[in-house]
Amino acid sequence: MTAGAIALILILSWRGECWAYIDPNAGGFLWQIVAPLASVFLSFLFYCRKEIKRLAKSVRDRLKGVDSADPAPEVRKTK
């Protein structure tokens, strides 16, 4: 098994002739895909920020054990 691992490492690290070509405009193509997706995602966050804040507050309060219907949880009466 050790010999197989060594052989695999040697095969993967061997450098032979490489005839690869990367198109100079490949970055532009990727940018054409990423930019619209990023703008849609950021627009969603911008237009839904109130709902996202409300959801985050609800989850945070639920984890803390605070009743979200209670307007002032710190002013509770103690017996």
Side-chain angles (χ1 to χ4, degrees):
M1 183 154 166
T2 305
I6 292 173
L8 181 65
I9 290 171
L10 289 175
I11 289 171
L12 292 176
S13 64
W14 176 71
R15 295 183 185 198
E17 291 186 36
C18 185
W19 298 94
Y21 172 75
I22 298 176
D23 185 30
N25 199 20
F29 176 70
L30 291 175
W31 180 249
Q32 288 177 353
I33 294 171
V34 172
L37 294 176
S39 65
V40 167
F41 179 71
L42 291 174
S43 299
F44 172 77
L45 289 180
F46 178 75
Y47 287 115
C48 298
R49 67 181 179 259
K50 288 181 183 178
E51 288 79 13
I52 293 171
K53 284 181 185 179
R54 190 174 354 150
L55 175 67
K57 184 180 183 313
S58 171
V59 169
R60 186 177 60 234
D61 290 346
R62 189 171 298 160
L63 290 176
K64 287 183 179 179
V66 178
D67 185 14
S68 61
D70 190 7
E74 63 274 352
V75 188
R76 293 184 186 160
K77 295 179 182 179
T78 56
K79 294 181 181 181

